[in-house]
Every structure is written in C-alpha cells, then in structure tokens.
Amino acid sequence: MKALELTHSQLIAYENGASMFMFPVKHTIEPAYMETRKRMYCATLIERFAPIQKGDKFFVQEEWMTGIQDDAFNTKLGWTHKGNLAKIQGTVEDVSVVKVKDIDFKYVEKIIDKRLDLLKRLQYFVSFYNQQMKEQGINRTYEDNDYIFLVEFKR
C-alpha cells in the first residue's frame, strides 16, 4: 500500500464523493515529445514520476490542520494525528497526464465535491485547482495550463 499526500481541499472532496485526484507533474515536460510521441511519453512520465500507479492500493495519511485548537472540529473533518492511518482506502483505476485546461466536465464531476451540482462544480473548478496548488506551496495557477497527473480510483 502507498500513502497519498492530499491537500485539505482534496480530502474534503474525497469525503464528499470525489473519485479522482489531481497531482502536479514535478518534471519538465518537453512539448515536442508530447505532440509527436504523446502515448509513449505519457506512459514514461507516469511510470517514473506519478505518485501512484494503476492497480496500486492506497491509504490516506492525514495531518492536523495548523492553527486549529478545537478537537471536535478536527474530528468532524476526519483529520487524525500524523502517523495514524485513516480508514480511507481504495485501488487506483487509471493514471493519465493532461493539461489543466483540457480537463472537461467528465473529469470535473469526478474531482469536485459531489454535494455540488455539475454546473457549480464546473464554475468552482478553477478556484479549486488554484487552491490545491496554493496548499502544496506551488506558485502556479489554472492560467499557467500546466500538465498534471489525473489519478482515478475505486473505493
């Protein structure tokens, strides 16, 4: 089993039915390769740099939010002390590499909190992505149109 490091917003979306995560590709992408050898190049990127691979089983390890003292609040959000394993587990169904702006509604409906209707999820997606980058300390936004790993899983 592998641990996935999720942002706060990813964890909330997961708890509310999301079945796909986005992770930044922390490797320089060669645009020429992506255009001429996309399938082979993406497979290599996934194999070498993705945080998790198709078929892997995983658990989510959570940390306390900083600046929050209320134990009841942390418990309600499902946060546990670092080192304790959460009960959240699943199997990776697919891993792909896409540009952020190429993500369409079929992916957005899997990434964003299921409590929102589809139109609201589409409207919220840009700010959700920007928030994830901020939570990971990455100074990039939706407008930068970076490549990301999309990880789809089955609970």
Side-chain angles (χ1 to χ4, degrees), residues 9 23 36-37 43-44 48 56 66 75 79 83 115 118 123 136 144:
S9 53
F23 296 98
T36 59
R37 302 179 188 118
T44 301
R48 294 184 64 204
D56 284 348
T66 57
T75 303
W79 293 80
R115 295 176 299 175
L118 184 56
Q123 294 168 338
Q136 294 180 50
D144 295 318

Side-chain angles (χ1 to χ4, degrees), residues 1 6 11 14-15 21 58-62 77-78 85-90 153 155:
M1 284 218 214
L6 301 180
L11 182 60
Y14 181 88
E15 290 175 344
F21 298 129
F58 68 91
F59 65 89
V60 179
Q61 185 174 356
E62 304 165 5
L77 288 178
L85 299 181
K87 294 178 182 175
I88 302 168
Q89 296 183 16
F153 60 91
R155 295 173 190 255

Side-chain angles (χ1 to χ4, degrees), residues 27 59 102:
H27 177 73
F59 65 89
D102 291 342

Side-chain angles (χ1 to χ4, degrees), residues 88-149:
I88 302 168
Q89 296 183 16
T91 304
V92 175
E93 295 284 306
D94 193 31
V95 180
S96 57
V97 178
V98 298
K99 282 194 159 223
V100 173
K101 289 186 178 181
D102 291 342
I103 294 175
D104 61 18
F105 72 90
K106 74 177 182 178
Y107 294 124
V108 170
E109 69 179 348
K110 295 176 181 182
I111 295 168
I112 304 292
D113 189 327
K114 298 284 188 206
R115 295 176 299 175
L116 302 173
D117 64 45
L118 184 56
L119 180 59
K120 287 184 180 168
R121 281 184 251 168
L122 290 168
Q123 294 168 338
Y124 178 63
F125 179 74
V126 172
S127 61
F128 180 80
Y129 176 80
N130 291 342
Q131 180 64 28
Q132 282 190 48
M133 294 302 105
K134 183 179 177 182
E135 289 174 5
Q136 294 180 50
I138 299 171
N139 191 20
R140 304 292 288 172
T141 68
Y142 178 84
E143 291 305 315
D144 295 318
N145 199 24
D146 293 326
Y147 284 98
I148 60 167
F149 292 113

